[in-house]
Amino acid sequence: MIKEDDIRVVGGREKNLKGVHVTIPKKQITVFVGVSGSGKSALVFDTIAAESQRQFNESYSSFIRNRLPHYGQPEVDAIEHLPAVIVMNQKRIGGNARSTVGTVTDIYALLRLLFSRIGTPFVGYSDVFSFNNPQGMCPDCEGLGKVKDINVDRLIDREKSLNEGAILFPTFMPGDVRWKRYVCTGLFDNDKKLKDYTDEEMDTLLHKSGFKPPNPTEGWPPTSLYEGVIPRIKRTYLYKDSRDAKRYQEAIDRIVSEKLCASCCGGRLNPRVLSCKINGKSIADCAGMQVSELIRFIRSIREPDVQTVTDEIVKRLGNLLAVGLGYLSMNRETPSLSGGESQRIKMVRQLGSSLSDLLYIFDEPSIGLHPHDVNTINRLLKQLRDKGNTVLIVEHDPDVIQIADYVVEMGPRAGTHGGEVVFQGSFHELLSSPTLTAGYLNRHLNFKREIRKPGGWLAIEHATMNNLKDISVRIPAGVMTAVTGVAGSGKSTLIRQVLPRYYPEAIFIDQGAIHASNRSNLATYTDIFDTIRTLFAKENRVNSSLFSFNSEGACPHCKGLGIISTDLAFMDTVSSICEACEGKRYTEQVLSYRFRGKSISDVLAMTVEDALNMFHEKEIETPLKRLKEVGLGYLTLGQPLSTLSGGELQRAKLAAELEGEGNLYVLDEPTTGLHMSDVELLIGLMNRLVERGSTLIVIEHNLQVIRQADWMIDLGPGAGEEGGQVMFEGIPKDSIDCSASITGRYLGL
Ligand code: ADP
Ligand code: ADP
Ligand code: ZN
Ligand code: ZN
């Protein structure tokens, strides 16, 4: 069935790829499957997308290109018939508080147009309806809808006196200059606990300003005026971008909270603009409505003059509904969106375009979606294809895999044991092939046989945050609980935002990057590197610091990184292997020191499995064994953390936690990036955390995981305002009989 213009990748060798050859049909949906670490991203993102990007960048001037000797050229012999690529990844849209769902989808701009045309009274052209425009913004919050406010309870400790350090801010501690500005005023009894202050004393301490203290004590600068703690902190730390503000950012974040702007009530606009209405609603009212409600409102406008505008708004809102984002409002700030939500918003932006002949690449579009919502995503993916585009999807969810016109399976395993194409063909051919993925697709999943008995209960009572409808739930201690429900039903709100208020000791494990320097690797992360350095030092009678990446023993050219990175202002960073040390990171002299016949660089190049044969010291062996147990035996000790795949990183973290002391763990969609066989491994790890005595809460859509939980809390019934209620609490299997639980319906299939 091979066609003349198929995309052909010849000799792909990025990361772990072993000279991969693959043919991808155009104008079809191709899904890439395979275990985590098998090389899917290496092929799809680091080779295909990167090459398209590179060709695009070729259009830059030679001035820039000449500076780029090896500009992002993927390790591949050739890629033929490659269309222009649009990558839809999980990178959050981010932005700042001025970037909202409305602004990034252009729906807010359309609303502005609508209000400028038919709003009454008429207040001006469409740009005055923008909260980013000085003419339109609320002057008190400058268009942000909220203002910074100092949380007094976090600022002072009422159980203490001034002398005991009642003001909980670094520069106001006993002995500090600012502290003297209160204890030397003669206004307060410096040994009186703040809880015993009269209302007036408290008001003076916190708020009063601009007068001379009548009876100051020694140490008071004679000409100075008194200034209360709050105005003082606001003046020095909140309103200025001063060096102090930066230096004390952490302390400031602790005492500052945001509250709704009292002038515009969160509407972000000035009173004149807010007074302009259509059918009794201002543009801010519209921006505060959920998509589903806003559609109803826009449809109710029956002015022939603006029909093209209203039609366009309804169409775009319809696309948001279609990708399962009907619960969002236009004023939701983009930095608060999850990775999955961000990807779906990007998708909506593309749906508006009428371009064809493009190559769209998706990174697990099912993330964050309940099985119930996956069908709508599938429909959109097919729409993109039917418009004449080629669609590539990296995906693990069987419900998405089954829409593939063509499947490519990478494997057979991960890392050095992977990097090959083990299958390519239609979905049906896959089902009858002997691959790992086919094995799982053909298997029936079972519920857990033996449900664990809880060792007690953690309670959350009357939770009302975001869309939660005054709910109370009990979470069983010492067992595994799955928190389920459609996207937007309130799972993250309940577990990520409310739960920590009750249980601050909860440890959250996600797939996000470990905050570490670019010198961090598996050996430093697991703490075995210190021991390895000591062994080398003793053996060679030198100082162990010589073997550190940031010592004089490191290659001076690349400063111990092994690679040279060139940072280009408006493009991705380009890296190449350091020519001085050939990527070995150390000076010649350091490389000459041996331990059991190996240099330090040899050791860093070893896989975990090989290192287990060489090191039998307990401090090294135990963490290495853990890594092997979680399926990471194929990684090398020196592999930078930043190059691990999402699933690998997550398992490295879990391996570290298995050594830890935590009691309460929360995993948020831990199956992201994981093949069904990895999910099995993950379930094994989660069980070990529980057997060790921990309480485990998993936010999940993956039915394989939910079936293996001891307890389930299902939120719903819908998303946003239509959600926020508890639909089911109990043993997962019993949810099948609960007609209110959508999740139960899918578990029963
Ligand atoms: P997937 O997308 O299938 O989960 P990736 O393509 O992200 O996997 O990773 C493939 C494998 O290549 C992983 O085991 C990863 O650790 C490994 N890897 C990453 N960078 C390099 C590199 N520079 N050299 C060799 N292997 C690498
Ligand atoms: P889930 O985790 O089940 O997908 P969420 O808890 O993220 O659901 O969302 C529940 C509701 O709360 C949605 O209507 C969502 O838009 C809203 N919401 C969540 N986080 C925020 C936030 N940071 N600011 C405003 N609204 C939010
Ligand atoms: Zn305001
Ligand atoms: Zn070097």
Side-chain angles (χ1 to χ4, degrees):
M1 228 187 38
I2 289 176
K3 288 220 208 71
E4 192 54 27
D5 72 338
D6 285 346
I7 301 167
R8 276 172 21 98
V9 178
V10 183
R13 283 180 309 279
E14 270 295 320
K15 286 186 177 169
N16 69 336
L17 299 185
K18 295 179 180 147
V20 161
H21 292 262
V22 67
T23 309
I24 300 162
K26 275 198 183 155
K27 301 186 203 282
Q28 306 241 304
I29 296 176
T30 300
V31 179
F32 293 79
V33 300
V35 297
S36 169
S38 59
K40 300 180 297 297
S41 314
L43 175 60
V44 177
F45 293 98
D46 305 330
T47 307
I48 298 175
E51 175 61 10
S52 168
Q53 188 65 36
R54 187 190 67 86
Q55 290 182 8
F56 181 77
N57 288 341
E58 288 278 297
S59 58
Y60 284 116
S61 74
S62 59
F63 172 80
I64 292 168
R65 278 184 286 125
N66 286 344
R67 263 139 234 270
L68 308 171
H70 320 284
Y71 183 73
Q73 176 108 38
E75 290 273 355
V76 60
D77 295 336
I79 305 182
E80 291 160 16
H81 310 297
L82 183 60
V85 173
I86 294 180
V87 177
M88 301 281 179
N89 55 20
Q90 308 282 331
K91 255 193 208 140
R92 288 165 195 250
I93 298 173
N96 56 28
R98 295 190 182 279
S99 154
T100 64
V101 169
T103 61
V104 300
T105 55
D106 285 337
I107 294 172
Y108 192 75
L110 290 165
L111 286 173
R112 291 197 280 129
L113 193 62
L114 186 66
F115 273 81
S116 72
R117 299 276 268 287
I118 59 165
T120 45
F122 176 75
V123 300
Y125 293 116
S126 83
D127 35 329
V128 305
F129 292 92
S130 164
F131 46 81
N132 294 327
N133 177 338
Q135 282 187 304
M137 65 174 57
C138 163
D140 290 337
C141 60
E142 298 182 330
L144 292 175
K146 53 196 182 187
V147 288
K148 284 185 179 162
D149 194 34
I150 291 178
N151 184 333
V152 176
D153 290 328
R154 296 207 195 134
L155 175 63
I156 58 172
D157 182 347
R158 290 172 210 268
E159 296 297 323
K160 288 184 176 159
S161 66
L162 285 177
N163 277 339
E164 289 166 337
I167 306 173
L168 305 174
F169 199 82
T171 54
F172 291 71
M173 287 299 179
D176 289 345
V177 192
R178 298 230 160 88
W179 170 78
K180 293 194 181 130
R181 291 296 178 100
Y182 299 93
V183 295
C184 301
T185 54
L187 295 168
F188 311 105
D189 173 348
N190 297 331
D191 291 315
K192 185 164 159 182
K193 297 201 188 302
L194 264 47
K195 65 176 179 191
D196 300 324
Y197 274 36
T198 64
D199 286 350
E200 184 165 1
E201 283 169 329
M202 195 57 117
D203 191 44
T204 307
L205 176 70
L206 294 178
H207 303 290
K208 288 255 167 65
S209 278
F211 61 91
K212 273 196 176 156
N215 307 303
T217 58
E218 201 180 319
W220 179 260
T223 56
S224 294
L225 295 180
Y226 176 81
E227 187 174 22
V229 178
I230 289 182
R232 173 78 225 197
I233 288 185
K234 284 191 174 168
R235 187 164 65 82
T236 321
Y237 300 106
L238 291 199
Y239 296 148
K240 277 195 308 197
D241 237 355
S242 68
R243 206 193 45 184
D244 275 2
K246 289 213 178 66
R247 177 135 52 113
Y248 296 108
Q249 197 56 50
E250 222 168 276
I252 295 168
D253 288 345
R254 205 180 52 78
I255 60 162
V256 168
S257 49
E258 286 183 330
K259 67 169 192 193
L260 217 56
C261 168
S263 316
C264 62
C265 300
R268 295 171 175 247
L269 296 158
N270 65 40
R272 195 173 64 97
V273 178
L274 289 176
S275 74
C276 174
K277 297 193 171 164
I278 298 174
N279 295 345
K281 303 284 182 198
S282 70
I283 190 167
D285 294 333
C286 290
M289 292 177 194
Q290 285 188 194
V291 170
S292 39
E293 193 187 352
L294 186 54
I295 288 191
R296 253 174 277 142
F297 175 74
I298 300 289
R299 283 218 177 103
S300 73
I301 298 171
R302 306 222 179 272
E303 301 259 352
D305 285 357
V306 290
Q307 198 175 340
T308 46
V309 183
T310 51
D311 284 354
E312 186 61 29
I313 297 178
V314 168
K315 189 177 120 201
R316 296 198 185 197
L317 290 171
N319 286 338
L320 281 171
L321 263 188
V323 295
L325 295 176
Y327 56 91
L328 293 181
S329 56
M330 294 303 111
N331 64 10
R332 176 73 177 273
E333 294 170 5
T334 52
S336 73
L337 297 174
S338 70
E341 286 168 334
S342 300
Q343 176 170 254
R344 275 172 272 147
I345 294 224
K346 291 181 205 166
M347 199 163 169
V348 167
R349 285 200 277 193
Q350 289 303 323
L351 286 169
S353 104
S354 53
L355 297 172
S356 60
D357 274 333
L358 293 174
L359 176 61
Y360 284 97
I361 300 186
F362 289 88
D363 186 10
E364 283 199 271
S366 71
I367 289 183
L369 289 180
H370 191 270
H372 185 64
D373 298 319
V374 168
N375 286 332
T376 59
I377 277 283
N378 283 346
R379 226 177 30 234
L380 291 176
L381 293 166
K382 290 183 195 163
Q383 259 182 41
L384 275 177
R385 172 196 63 193
D386 297 341
K387 267 196 200 167
N389 298 296
T390 305
V391 179
L392 309 190
I393 308 170
V394 174
E395 185 55 86
H396 298 287
D397 186 332
D399 289 333
V400 179
I401 300 176
Q402 52 96 16
I403 68 161
D405 302 306
Y406 201 69
V407 181
V408 175
E409 178 161 347
M410 301 299 295
R413 290 278 165 185
T416 46
H417 309 310
E420 295 171 48
V421 172
V422 296
F423 170 84
Q424 47 186 327
S426 71
F427 179 67
H428 277 286
E429 286 162 357
L430 174 72
L431 289 183
S432 52
S433 76
T435 72
L436 194 64
T437 305
Y440 278 89
L441 287 172
N442 287 320
R443 210 171 62 171
H444 194 74
L445 299 169
N446 291 319
F447 280 101
K448 186 171 192 154
R449 288 266 171 74
E450 290 179 22
I451 301 291
R452 299 184 184 96
K453 292 268 168 299
W457 297 87
L458 313 179
I460 293 177
E461 276 160 5
H462 301 293
T464 55
M465 188 185 273
N466 292 336
N467 68 336
L468 300 180
K469 307 279 180 336
D470 192 16
I471 60 173
S472 302
V473 295
R474 294 186 316 158
I475 296 164
V479 306
M480 172 174 156
T481 298
V483 178
T484 59
V486 297
S489 59
K491 303 179 297 296
S492 320
T493 304
L494 181 68
I495 302 301
R496 300 186 68 106
Q497 301 189 50
V498 177
L499 178 97
R501 298 190 174 185
Y502 287 75
Y503 305 98
E505 75 279 8
I507 297 172
F508 288 75
I509 304 180
D510 56 27
Q511 297 198 356
I514 295 167
H515 289 291
S517 80
N518 48 5
R519 289 191 179 79
S520 308
N521 56 37
L522 215 49
T524 58
Y525 180 65
T526 51
D527 287 338
I528 62 174
F529 197 49
D530 287 343
T531 317
I532 293 176
R533 286 194 296 143
T534 312
L535 290 175
F536 267 88
K538 280 211 185 112
E539 182 82 11
N540 295 283
R541 297 167 200 280
V542 290
N543 196 318
S544 83
S545 71
L546 265 186
F547 300 96
S548 156
F549 300 132
N550 40 18
S551 75
E552 80 229 54
C555 164
H557 190 60
C558 62
K559 307 209 162 46
L561 288 171
I563 51 170
I564 301 280
S565 306
T566 320
D567 215 353
L568 291 143
F570 50 94
M571 281 183 268
D572 286 345
T573 310
V574 186
S575 334
S576 50
I577 290 183
C578 170
E579 287 168 10
C581 65
E582 294 170 334
K584 295 197 169 116
R585 302 166 147 232
Y586 295 95
T587 61
E588 290 278 343
Q589 188 210 357
V590 172
L591 289 173
S592 73
Y593 298 129
R594 301 273 150 166
F595 178 73
R596 294 180 192 152
K598 306 277 184 197
S599 75
I600 185 85
S601 177
D602 294 338
V603 169
L604 287 170
M606 277 181 182
T607 64
V608 169
E609 275 153 10
D610 292 341
L612 270 171
N613 292 328
M614 166 160 171
F615 294 101
H616 299 288
E617 289 74 12
K618 203 167 159 298
E619 304 93 311
I620 301 178
E621 202 172 30
T622 310
L624 287 180
K625 273 192 178 151
R626 288 278 192 233
L627 287 172
K628 188 169 173 198
E629 281 164 11
V630 301
L632 297 179
Y634 60 88
L635 291 179
T636 62
L637 300 190
Q639 184 161 345
L641 292 181
S642 56
T643 66
L644 298 189
S645 73
E648 288 172 339
L649 191 59
Q650 182 191 44
R651 268 184 265 154
K653 287 186 198 175
L654 280 171
E657 283 305 333
L658 286 170
E659 308 284 336
E661 316 267 83
N663 276 320
L664 174 55
Y665 290 96
V666 177
L667 306 187
D668 194 348
E669 271 207 276
T671 62
T672 302
L674 299 191
H675 186 266
M676 292 159 271
S677 68
D678 301 311
V679 171
E680 211 156 74
L681 207 61
L682 175 76
I683 293 172
L685 280 178
M686 297 198 292
N687 282 334
R688 275 176 47 195
L689 271 178
V690 172
E691 271 140 32
R692 221 190 51 172
S694 307
T695 301
L696 188 62
I697 303 170
V698 217
I699 303 176
E700 252 312 339
H701 297 292
N702 183 297
L703 299 173
Q704 212 180 335
V705 171
I706 302 172
R707 283 193 170 95
Q708 291 299 316
D710 300 296
W711 193 255
M712 166 174 157
I713 298 174
D714 191 38
L715 299 182
E721 275 318 302
E722 283 95 55
Q725 299 175 44
V726 178
M727 306 313 292
F728 173 82
E729 268 183 289
I731 294 166
K733 199 171 177 193
D734 294 342
S735 70
I736 299 178
D737 304 321
C738 167
S739 56
S741 167
I742 298 184
T743 310
R745 216 183 296 159
Y746 283 87
L747 284 173
L749 291 180

